[in-house]
Amino acid sequence: MPTYDTPEQAVRAFLQRLAYQRNQALLLETPPVGGETAPDRAAAQAVIAAALADGRSMLDEAEAKAVLAAYGIAVVPTRQAATPEQVAQAAAGFAPPLALKIRSPDLSHKSDVGGVILDLPTPAAAAEAAAAMRARLAASHPHARLDGFTVQPMHRREGAVELIVGASCDAVFGPTLLFGQGGVAVELIGDRAVGLPPLNRSLAREMMGRTRVDRLLDGFRSRPAVDRAAIERVLVAVSQLVCELPGVMELDINPLLAGADGAVALDARIVVTQAAGPGHARLAIRPYPAEEERWLDWHGEPVLLRPIRPEDEPAHREFFESLSPADIRARFFAAVRPAHDQLARFTQIDYEREMAFVAVRRDADGRTRTLGVARAVSDPDNLVAEFAVVVRSDLKRRGLGRALLTRLVEYCRGRGTGTLFGQTLAGNLAMRRLAESLGFEAGPCADPELIELRLRLAPPR
């Protein structure tokens, strides 16, 4: 029975327990399937590589927006100009009013030095403003380099909310994500929530809910509600960006203008460096390992062997419903039908400690079905990992179990796992023959109804 010196300490302890329970329930939510677009990673990497080759760690605004656009984030069209005269030419194709900003690698926060002018009525006015801006910057910051200007059309949405979405690298946790109320007073307001990538839509929604500005998104009085799904997509896209582009050290979208018809990045700032290793090496939570996907020609039809994903829960439920009672007992040693929380734990795994490969096929009706799964869970030191394999009851003895187990052995060997072992019913001769054909050795268990299958993958450490 815990005891506390003051009521305040007891209340804090209770709220901590409540927050833990809420977080655990959140982790078991099944994220929505689909709806995200594949990014143009090569285009984003080319922009970063060009900046690094030029000796720059700070992307200019147009480059930063190009990286965001490559990941499906809507941005305001922006043109660059080296001189005030070129500003007028660049602005000629935009409908006024116009926004003008400086381009300087030495001044990342342009509004702090008078480097942003809004609501310019004509291209000629934009050129005049650029000349005045250049003279003002030379007087106030004589050592700052001025590479030119950017010009863009003003972008307004009735009832829109200014937000900030960002990312930075923490010394302990690696990349972290930020969401909150944006605008020029973002530091003063301090309304923000921090999360760890990778995000899905459910986690993005929870992150938004930890801010005060979240209450403004539902609309009030004459203001329409904001398109929350668009903001969630931006957060997920930024999460994917920092996971896949290890050279990105800092990222700010401020403001992200969110309204009833979507969200658009008005300004962006990205700091990059030379990547020291693969993207997932710096993350506190390993993202989905897409590099582990393999295609299999299975009896003349393509089947994808890939790591399991949280979105697979509905297909995984259907898969379990396809198993006969005998196959369920052979897998779990009992007659069970997994509930939602068990299925969530099967599909939402820590790829650093566990791996589950599913064989999936797209049927004629367009539905993706799970045909089988092979799973391994390792100890913290990766010395031993316990495995299990199960295939749909109507697809047994067609080589799918062998393909899954072979892929699992290959993966565990590549990770340096010492020993792979599993238990099966003594009467499950098919599983025993399959394992022994792949080099496993069968031995007795403490339970006489079971046998143990063991395969050494690496010398003992």
Short mmCIF file of all heavy atoms in Angstrom, two decimals, residues 387 405 409 413 419-424 431-445 450-457:
data_model
loop_
_atom_site.label_atom_id
_atom_site.label_comp_id
_atom_site.label_asym_id
_atom_site.label_seq_id
_atom_site.Cartn_x
_atom_site.Cartn_y
_atom_site.Cartn_z
N PHE A 387 10.64 -18.48 -31.72
CA PHE A 387 9.93 -18.32 -32.99
C PHE A 387 8.64 -19.12 -32.98
O PHE A 387 8.44 -20.04 -32.19
CB PHE A 387 10.82 -18.76 -34.16
CG PHE A 387 10.83 -20.25 -34.39
CD1 PHE A 387 9.98 -20.83 -35.33
CD2 PHE A 387 11.67 -21.09 -33.66
CE1 PHE A 387 9.98 -22.20 -35.54
CE2 PHE A 387 11.67 -22.45 -33.87
CZ PHE A 387 10.83 -23.02 -34.81
N LEU A 405 9.50 -19.42 -42.69
CA LEU A 405 10.51 -19.77 -41.71
C LEU A 405 11.91 -19.52 -42.25
O LEU A 405 12.80 -19.05 -41.53
CB LEU A 405 10.35 -21.22 -41.27
CG LEU A 405 11.28 -21.70 -40.15
CD1 LEU A 405 11.18 -20.79 -38.92
CD2 LEU A 405 10.99 -23.14 -39.77
N VAL A 409 14.66 -17.09 -40.47
CA VAL A 409 16.02 -17.53 -40.12
C VAL A 409 17.04 -16.59 -40.76
O VAL A 409 18.02 -16.18 -40.11
CB VAL A 409 16.24 -18.99 -40.58
CG1 VAL A 409 17.72 -19.37 -40.46
CG2 VAL A 409 15.38 -19.94 -39.76
N ARG A 413 19.62 -14.37 -38.51
CA ARG A 413 21.06 -14.56 -38.70
C ARG A 413 21.72 -13.23 -39.07
O ARG A 413 22.81 -12.92 -38.58
CB ARG A 413 21.30 -15.61 -39.78
CG ARG A 413 22.77 -15.90 -40.01
CD ARG A 413 22.97 -17.03 -41.02
NE ARG A 413 22.77 -18.34 -40.39
CZ ARG A 413 21.86 -19.23 -40.76
NH1 ARG A 413 21.03 -18.95 -41.76
NH2 ARG A 413 21.75 -20.40 -40.16
N THR A 419 20.75 -17.87 -31.04
CA THR A 419 20.02 -19.13 -31.18
C THR A 419 18.55 -18.84 -31.41
O THR A 419 17.97 -17.95 -30.77
CB THR A 419 20.18 -20.01 -29.93
OG1 THR A 419 21.56 -20.32 -29.73
CG2 THR A 419 19.39 -21.30 -30.06
N LEU A 420 17.95 -19.58 -32.32
CA LEU A 420 16.52 -19.51 -32.58
C LEU A 420 15.89 -20.79 -32.05
O LEU A 420 16.35 -21.89 -32.38
CB LEU A 420 16.28 -19.36 -34.08
CG LEU A 420 14.90 -18.91 -34.56
CD1 LEU A 420 14.57 -17.53 -34.02
CD2 LEU A 420 14.86 -18.89 -36.09
N PHE A 421 14.86 -20.65 -31.20
CA PHE A 421 14.23 -21.85 -30.66
C PHE A 421 12.73 -21.66 -30.61
O PHE A 421 12.20 -20.54 -30.65
CB PHE A 421 14.78 -22.16 -29.25
CG PHE A 421 14.14 -21.34 -28.17
CD1 PHE A 421 13.07 -21.86 -27.42
CD2 PHE A 421 14.58 -20.06 -27.88
CE1 PHE A 421 12.48 -21.10 -26.42
CE2 PHE A 421 14.00 -19.30 -26.88
CZ PHE A 421 12.95 -19.82 -26.15
N GLY A 422 12.03 -22.78 -30.55
CA GLY A 422 10.58 -22.76 -30.42
C GLY A 422 10.09 -24.07 -29.86
O GLY A 422 10.84 -25.06 -29.80
N GLN A 423 8.84 -24.08 -29.44
CA GLN A 423 8.23 -25.29 -28.91
C GLN A 423 7.01 -25.65 -29.75
O GLN A 423 6.31 -24.77 -30.26
CB GLN A 423 7.80 -25.09 -27.45
CG GLN A 423 8.98 -24.87 -26.51
CD GLN A 423 8.53 -24.64 -25.08
OE1 GLN A 423 7.37 -24.32 -24.82
NE2 GLN A 423 9.45 -24.80 -24.14
N THR A 424 6.79 -26.93 -29.92
CA THR A 424 5.64 -27.40 -30.67
C THR A 424 5.11 -28.67 -30.02
O THR A 424 5.82 -29.32 -29.23
CB THR A 424 6.02 -27.66 -32.15
OG1 THR A 424 4.84 -27.96 -32.88
CG2 THR A 424 6.99 -28.84 -32.27
N MET A 431 5.38 -29.77 -38.45
CA MET A 431 6.24 -28.68 -38.00
C MET A 431 7.64 -29.20 -37.69
O MET A 431 8.64 -28.55 -38.02
CB MET A 431 5.63 -28.03 -36.75
CG MET A 431 6.41 -26.83 -36.21
SD MET A 431 6.41 -25.43 -37.35
CE MET A 431 8.15 -25.08 -37.47
N ARG A 432 7.71 -30.37 -37.09
CA ARG A 432 9.03 -30.93 -36.76
C ARG A 432 9.82 -31.24 -38.02
O ARG A 432 11.02 -30.91 -38.10
CB ARG A 432 8.85 -32.19 -35.91
CG ARG A 432 10.17 -32.84 -35.55
CD ARG A 432 9.99 -33.94 -34.52
NE ARG A 432 11.26 -34.57 -34.19
CZ ARG A 432 11.42 -35.45 -33.20
NH1 ARG A 432 10.39 -35.79 -32.44
NH2 ARG A 432 12.61 -35.99 -32.96
N ARG A 433 9.17 -31.84 -39.03
CA ARG A 433 9.88 -32.16 -40.27
C ARG A 433 10.34 -30.89 -40.98
O ARG A 433 11.46 -30.83 -41.52
CB ARG A 433 8.98 -32.99 -41.18
CG ARG A 433 8.85 -34.44 -40.77
CD ARG A 433 8.26 -35.27 -41.89
NE ARG A 433 6.88 -34.87 -42.16
CZ ARG A 433 5.81 -35.47 -41.62
NH1 ARG A 433 5.97 -36.49 -40.78
NH2 ARG A 433 4.59 -35.06 -41.92
N LEU A 434 9.50 -29.85 -40.98
CA LEU A 434 9.88 -28.58 -41.62
C LEU A 434 11.10 -27.99 -40.94
O LEU A 434 12.07 -27.59 -41.60
CB LEU A 434 8.71 -27.60 -41.56
CG LEU A 434 9.03 -26.14 -41.95
CD1 LEU A 434 9.52 -26.06 -43.38
CD2 LEU A 434 7.81 -25.25 -41.74
N ALA A 435 11.08 -27.92 -39.60
CA ALA A 435 12.20 -27.32 -38.87
C ALA A 435 13.49 -28.12 -39.06
O ALA A 435 14.56 -27.55 -39.29
CB ALA A 435 11.85 -27.21 -37.38
N GLU A 436 13.38 -29.43 -38.98
CA GLU A 436 14.59 -30.25 -39.13
C GLU A 436 15.17 -30.15 -40.53
O GLU A 436 16.39 -30.22 -40.72
CB GLU A 436 14.28 -31.69 -38.76
CG GLU A 436 14.03 -31.90 -37.27
CD GLU A 436 13.72 -33.35 -36.91
OE1 GLU A 436 13.25 -34.09 -37.81
OE2 GLU A 436 13.93 -33.73 -35.75
N SER A 437 14.33 -29.94 -41.54
CA SER A 437 14.85 -29.80 -42.90
C SER A 437 15.62 -28.50 -43.07
O SER A 437 16.41 -28.37 -44.01
CB SER A 437 13.69 -29.84 -43.90
OG SER A 437 12.88 -28.66 -43.81
N LEU A 438 15.41 -27.53 -42.16
CA LEU A 438 16.13 -26.26 -42.21
C LEU A 438 17.28 -26.21 -41.21
O LEU A 438 17.86 -25.15 -40.99
CB LEU A 438 15.17 -25.10 -41.95
CG LEU A 438 14.08 -24.88 -43.01
CD1 LEU A 438 13.16 -23.75 -42.61
CD2 LEU A 438 14.70 -24.61 -44.37
N GLY A 439 17.60 -27.36 -40.58
CA GLY A 439 18.75 -27.42 -39.69
C GLY A 439 18.44 -27.39 -38.21
O GLY A 439 19.35 -27.46 -37.39
N PHE A 440 17.17 -27.27 -37.82
CA PHE A 440 16.81 -27.27 -36.40
C PHE A 440 17.01 -28.66 -35.81
O PHE A 440 16.85 -29.68 -36.51
CB PHE A 440 15.35 -26.84 -36.21
CG PHE A 440 15.09 -25.39 -36.39
CD1 PHE A 440 14.96 -24.84 -37.66
CD2 PHE A 440 14.97 -24.55 -35.29
CE1 PHE A 440 14.71 -23.50 -37.83
CE2 PHE A 440 14.72 -23.20 -35.45
CZ PHE A 440 14.58 -22.66 -36.73
N GLU A 441 17.35 -28.70 -34.54
CA GLU A 441 17.46 -29.95 -33.80
C GLU A 441 16.31 -30.06 -32.82
O GLU A 441 15.97 -29.08 -32.14
CB GLU A 441 18.79 -30.02 -33.06
CG GLU A 441 20.01 -30.04 -33.98
CD GLU A 441 21.31 -30.12 -33.19
OE1 GLU A 441 21.25 -30.06 -31.95
OE2 GLU A 441 22.38 -30.22 -33.83
N ALA A 442 15.71 -31.23 -32.74
CA ALA A 442 14.58 -31.46 -31.84
C ALA A 442 15.09 -32.06 -30.53
O ALA A 442 15.99 -32.91 -30.53
CB ALA A 442 13.56 -32.39 -32.48
N GLY A 443 14.52 -31.58 -29.41
CA GLY A 443 14.90 -32.08 -28.11
C GLY A 443 13.71 -32.09 -27.17
O GLY A 443 12.66 -31.51 -27.47
N PRO A 444 13.85 -32.71 -26.01
CA PRO A 444 12.73 -32.80 -25.07
C PRO A 444 12.48 -31.48 -24.35
O PRO A 444 13.35 -30.61 -24.26
CB PRO A 444 13.18 -33.89 -24.10
CG PRO A 444 14.68 -33.80 -24.12
CD PRO A 444 15.05 -33.42 -25.53
N CYS A 445 11.27 -31.32 -23.82
CA CYS A 445 10.87 -30.18 -22.99
C CYS A 445 10.47 -30.70 -21.62
O CYS A 445 10.26 -31.90 -21.41
CB CYS A 445 9.69 -29.43 -23.61
SG CYS A 445 10.14 -28.37 -24.99
N LEU A 450 5.29 -31.50 -25.26
CA LEU A 450 5.95 -30.58 -26.17
C LEU A 450 7.36 -31.07 -26.51
O LEU A 450 7.96 -31.84 -25.75
CB LEU A 450 6.05 -29.17 -25.55
CG LEU A 450 4.75 -28.51 -25.09
CD1 LEU A 450 5.05 -27.18 -24.42
CD2 LEU A 450 3.79 -28.34 -26.25
N ILE A 451 7.87 -30.61 -27.63
CA ILE A 451 9.28 -30.79 -27.97
C ILE A 451 9.85 -29.41 -28.30
O ILE A 451 9.11 -28.50 -28.68
CB ILE A 451 9.48 -31.75 -29.16
CG1 ILE A 451 8.77 -31.21 -30.41
CG2 ILE A 451 9.02 -33.15 -28.82
CD1 ILE A 451 9.12 -31.97 -31.66
N GLU A 452 11.17 -29.29 -28.13
CA GLU A 452 11.81 -28.02 -28.43
C GLU A 452 12.63 -28.14 -29.71
O GLU A 452 13.32 -29.15 -29.93
CB GLU A 452 12.72 -27.59 -27.29
CG GLU A 452 13.36 -26.22 -27.51
CD GLU A 452 14.08 -25.72 -26.28
OE1 GLU A 452 13.39 -25.24 -25.36
OE2 GLU A 452 15.33 -25.79 -26.25
N LEU A 453 12.51 -27.13 -30.57
CA LEU A 453 13.26 -27.05 -31.82
C LEU A 453 14.27 -25.92 -31.67
O LEU A 453 13.90 -24.80 -31.34
CB LEU A 453 12.31 -26.77 -32.99
CG LEU A 453 11.18 -27.79 -33.17
CD1 LEU A 453 10.15 -27.29 -34.15
CD2 LEU A 453 11.74 -29.14 -33.62
N ARG A 454 15.54 -26.22 -31.94
CA ARG A 454 16.61 -25.24 -31.66
C ARG A 454 17.59 -25.20 -32.84
O ARG A 454 18.00 -26.25 -33.36
CB ARG A 454 17.33 -25.61 -30.36
CG ARG A 454 18.39 -24.63 -29.90
CD ARG A 454 18.88 -25.02 -28.51
NE ARG A 454 17.85 -24.78 -27.52
CZ ARG A 454 17.76 -23.66 -26.80
NH1 ARG A 454 18.65 -22.69 -26.97
NH2 ARG A 454 16.82 -23.52 -25.90
N LEU A 455 17.95 -23.98 -33.23
CA LEU A 455 18.92 -23.78 -34.32
C LEU A 455 19.92 -22.73 -33.88
O LEU A 455 19.56 -21.59 -33.58
CB LEU A 455 18.20 -23.30 -35.60
CG LEU A 455 19.09 -22.94 -36.78
CD1 LEU A 455 19.85 -24.16 -37.29
CD2 LEU A 455 18.27 -22.29 -37.90
N ARG A 456 21.21 -23.10 -33.85
CA ARG A 456 22.26 -22.14 -33.52
C ARG A 456 22.61 -21.34 -34.77
O ARG A 456 22.96 -21.91 -35.81
CB ARG A 456 23.49 -22.83 -32.95
CG ARG A 456 24.57 -21.85 -32.51
CD ARG A 456 25.67 -22.54 -31.73
NE ARG A 456 25.19 -23.08 -30.47
CZ ARG A 456 24.96 -22.38 -29.37
NH1 ARG A 456 25.16 -21.05 -29.41
NH2 ARG A 456 24.55 -22.95 -28.28
N LEU A 457 22.54 -20.01 -34.64
CA LEU A 457 22.80 -19.13 -35.79
C LEU A 457 24.16 -18.48 -35.72
O LEU A 457 24.73 -18.10 -36.76
CB LEU A 457 21.73 -18.04 -35.85
CG LEU A 457 20.27 -18.50 -35.99
CD1 LEU A 457 19.34 -17.31 -35.92
CD2 LEU A 457 20.08 -19.26 -37.29
#
